[in-house]
Amino acid sequence: MLGLATRGRCFYGRTGCKRWLSSTRAALYDPTKDIHRIPVALDYERLVSNKETIATNMKQRNYDSGGIFRVADLYDKVQALERELGQWGADRDAVNVSIRTASSKEERQARIEQAKHWKERLKEGTAQLDVLKKQLETEALLIPNDTHASVPIGDETKARIVRVVGEPQKPTEHTKDHLALCEARDMVEFEQAAKVSGSKWYYLKNQGAWLELALVQYAMQQAHKHGFSPVLPPDVVRASIAYGCGFQPRQHEASQIYSVTTPSMDASAPPLCLAGTAEIPLAGLFADQLLDEDALPKKIVGFGHAFRAEAGHGSAQERGLYRVHQFSKVELFAVTTPDQSQRVLDEFLVLQENLFQELGLCYRVLDMPTEELGASAYRKYDMEAWMPGKNDWGEISSTSSCTDYQARRLAIRYLETQFKDQAGNKDVRVPWQEKEKWVHYCHTLNGTAMAIPRILIALLETHQQQDGSVHIPPCLRKWIPGEPNII
């Protein structure tokens, strides 16, 4: 998925990422108060048992490492109060039994009063336990995923270059940026879009519209050839699904979410928002599902629109289509077993690179460092294309492995194949306490196949000719009327 933040990377890449649903969002969405959300299944024992290691990981990812110690403290309090409530319940039951054996009316009344005391104490303790559990879950949801041992430690300057494909073009006196190339062909309209929607919104027109449609069709077809099933997801999602995907707050960040409300919405209705990436509704497609191990991996490719409230600072490096509020995107998503996830991550990278090679782009693959990982990412690779008009690299894609981070928050699970061998006849009902031994959380992965504005920039600037024309890669021509070689 393409993310959103610094140096022009996070807006499109997964940087520090998942920042668009940020800290000020606490006022907009509180997961503990959302009665419609899918219950999360966090492994508190693992968190507490590994708190020192997790604290180090959080520091390396530029998170508040104190969060894990707050989780450990709250977990201890929850455990202690649960033990107390268990003892109080036993004491209440003993008193209730003794009422029936009271030898006098006075003794019976005294024991009834004792029972009332324990009942009230249990009521207060249960309420206190509910508060503690909500506090525990709130803090635990802010803990980011673990990090792959090979991930570089530090900020974006520590990104490791995995490979560079192609040779960056040196700008000449004839080199133009994408905005000049678009305006010369009447492909984009910003001025009227500003009247209609505001700054950093745009119309794609004429060959610009055809190029977007061609890029979408090309990416969808290539993904299908690689075993991905096509999906057209909704662009409006419940905030709980976005939160479950790991789009969660960091401190001192402004909210980047577009909330969706109408006057007719009931106060108890689940909060809605515009999807910041198709990753969110694609993940939601598997939410609260128990899949058969034999059916995995499930690989899907979705076309949708991404909405980002943050659109840069208007610098020359971000002009034109480089940083906008809405863009079209073809997104890859997969649900796997833990043993399959690395292989599928490699498949994502192969597909993405094949796309960019056929488009004739010069690009590089980066193994992103700890501070550039979003909350859900275990490992993330960015792909940057050389953009001659900028005379710099610009992010065009990324891909991430999220292990079971999202699956635990969205209840995406699978049933081991061996369960059927153990259970025998499929019509035989097996108690859940027996069946759950064979149930595990899936791994999820996501990646951008095609983010139209950035690819369009790289395409136009890379294939511009000295006479001002732009060469169209052969793989796109059949989706453009007249199948032109140049525009």
Side-chain angles (χ1 to χ4, degrees):
M1 162 223 147
L2 290 176
L4 318 104
T6 59
R7 192 186 156 248
R9 171 168 296 122
C10 199
F11 186 80
Y12 267 77
R14 196 178 253 303
T15 349
C17 287
K18 310 259 179 144
R19 296 185 183 181
W20 67 284
L21 205 60
S22 65
S23 57
T24 58
R25 183 217 39 201
L28 299 174
Y29 179 70
D30 180 351
T32 63
K33 295 181 180 179
D34 187 349
I35 62 174
H36 302 279
R37 73 178 179 128
I38 297 168
V40 300
L42 303 180
D43 190 346
Y44 293 117
E45 288 189 10
R46 186 192 72 84
L47 292 175
V48 173
S49 299
N50 296 278
K51 60 185 178 183
E52 296 296 340
T53 300
I54 292 172
T56 299
N57 179 54
M58 293 179 72
K59 288 179 182 178
Q60 292 174 345
R61 292 174 73 133
N62 198 25
Y63 276 76
D64 172 18
S65 61
I68 186 59
F69 297 107
R70 290 191 291 273
V71 167
D73 180 59
L74 286 165
Y75 183 70
D76 287 344
K77 289 179 179 178
V78 166
Q79 294 288 93
L81 185 52
E82 285 182 336
R83 288 191 295 271
E84 278 192 290
L85 287 171
Q87 183 59 53
W88 295 348
D91 292 341
R92 176 204 57 191
D93 293 342
V95 171
N96 286 338
V97 170
S98 71
I99 292 174
R100 295 193 292 268
T101 61
S103 58
S104 66
K105 183 177 180 180
E106 290 76 11
E107 182 181 354
R108 185 173 184 277
Q109 186 60 41
R111 290 179 182 178
I112 289 174
E113 291 301 320
Q114 280 185 312
K116 290 180 179 179
H117 165 76
W118 285 118
K119 180 180 179 180
E120 187 62 30
R121 195 168 184 182
L122 280 166
K123 180 180 178 181
E124 293 175 357
T126 300
Q128 184 182 356
L129 180 63
D130 185 55
V131 170
L132 283 174
K133 283 184 173 181
K134 287 182 178 179
Q135 291 175 346
L136 172 62
E137 185 177 284
T138 298
E139 287 289 349
L141 284 171
L142 301 182
I143 306 298
N145 202 351
D146 295 336
T147 305
H148 191 284
S150 298
V151 169
I153 297 174
D155 61 18
E156 62 183 342
T157 63
K158 300 299 190 296
R160 181 175 65 87
I161 299 176
V162 178
R163 55 186 161 272
V164 178
V165 177
E167 187 71 29
Q169 296 179 16
K170 294 181 180 180
T172 70
E173 59 181 327
H174 302 289
T175 301
K176 299 178 181 178
D177 71 3
H178 76 282
L179 190 56
L181 293 166
C182 284
E183 290 175 342
R185 290 161 178 76
D186 193 25
M187 289 170 55
V188 67
E189 175 61 63
F190 281 100
E191 186 174 340
Q192 288 302 117
K195 296 177 183 177
V196 174
S197 304
S199 176
K200 287 296 182 177
W201 300 83
Y202 61 96
Y203 289 94
L204 279 182
K205 305 189 301 178
N206 304 316
Q207 297 289 26
W210 286 119
L211 277 172
E212 169 163 322
L213 294 173
L215 287 164
V216 170
Q217 289 274 25
Y218 167 62
M220 292 291 289
Q221 284 212 1
Q222 290 300 306
H224 179 67
K225 288 179 181 179
H226 282 74
F228 289 78
S229 299
V231 177
L232 294 179
D235 290 330
V236 175
V237 297
R238 290 183 174 183
S240 60
I241 299 298
Y243 198 93
C245 285
F247 288 79
Q248 61 188 42
R250 289 198 190 195
Q251 292 182 336
H252 313 303
E253 292 176 351
S255 176
Q256 301 305 325
I257 188 174
Y258 282 109
S259 296
V260 178
T261 59
T262 66
S264 62
M265 287 181 67
D266 187 88
S268 63
L272 300 174
C273 62
L274 295 179
T277 166
E279 172 197 345
I280 298 169
L282 293 180
L285 186 62
F286 300 97
D288 203 20
Q289 296 289 311
L290 180 60
L291 308 170
D292 287 333
E293 183 179 15
D294 290 343
L296 300 177
K298 284 188 174 292
K299 301 187 297 182
I300 57 177
V301 55
F303 168 67
H305 300 95
F307 297 89
R308 313 287 173 84
E310 182 266 345
H313 306 287
S315 68
Q317 289 290 305
E318 297 177 350
R319 77 193 218 108
L321 295 169
Y322 194 82
R323 195 178 292 276
V324 289
H325 289 303
Q326 175 187 337
F327 56 92
S328 301
K329 187 153 72 76
V330 177
E331 183 80 3
L332 307 173
F333 191 84
V335 176
T336 74
T337 67
D339 291 340
Q340 296 167 340
S341 61
Q342 181 58 53
R343 172 173 60 82
V344 173
L345 179 64
D346 295 338
E347 291 176 8
F348 274 36
L349 285 168
V350 168
L351 171 56
Q352 290 168 312
E353 291 195 65
N354 285 347
L355 293 173
F356 305 144
Q357 288 172 19
E358 284 203 10
L359 291 174
L361 303 180
C362 169
Y363 67 90
R364 64 183 184 180
V365 180
L366 305 175
D367 188 0
M368 299 308 293
T370 51
E371 291 186 25
E372 294 294 296
L373 301 181
S376 65
Y378 176 65
R379 193 171 197 177
K380 178 173 81 85
Y381 293 96
D382 277 0
M383 275 135 277
E384 296 181 336
W386 181 255
M387 299 178 176
K390 285 185 60 175
N391 194 32
D392 197 2
W393 298 96
E395 186 187 352
I396 56 172
S397 181
S398 70
T399 191
S400 298
S401 169
C402 299
T403 61
D404 66 353
Y405 188 93
Q406 295 176 332
R408 285 185 171 275
R409 288 156 173 77
L410 296 176
I412 307 174
R413 301 164 296 167
Y414 71 94
L415 181 65
E416 277 191 60
T417 301
Q418 290 181 346
F419 169 74
K420 296 178 182 178
D421 300 330
Q422 297 291 325
N425 192 317
K426 67 178 181 180
D427 294 326
V428 176
R429 295 182 65 86
V430 179
W432 175 250
Q433 59 266 29
E434 293 297 323
K435 187 176 183 178
E436 68 176 340
K437 298 174 184 177
W438 304 92
V439 174
H440 309 284
Y441 285 94
C442 297
H443 280 198
T444 60
L445 303 97
N446 62 79
T448 301
M450 198 68 66
I452 304 305
R454 294 282 178 90
I455 291 291
L456 194 58
I457 292 171
L459 197 69
L460 294 172
E461 294 185 359
T462 296
H463 294 299
Q464 62 181 303
Q465 309 297 305
Q466 286 193 10
D467 63 2
S469 63
V470 176
H471 173 76
I472 301 299
C475 61
L476 299 180
R477 293 173 190 169
K478 67 178 179 179
W479 287 292
I480 302 175
E483 300 189 17
N485 297 332
I486 60 173
I487 59 172

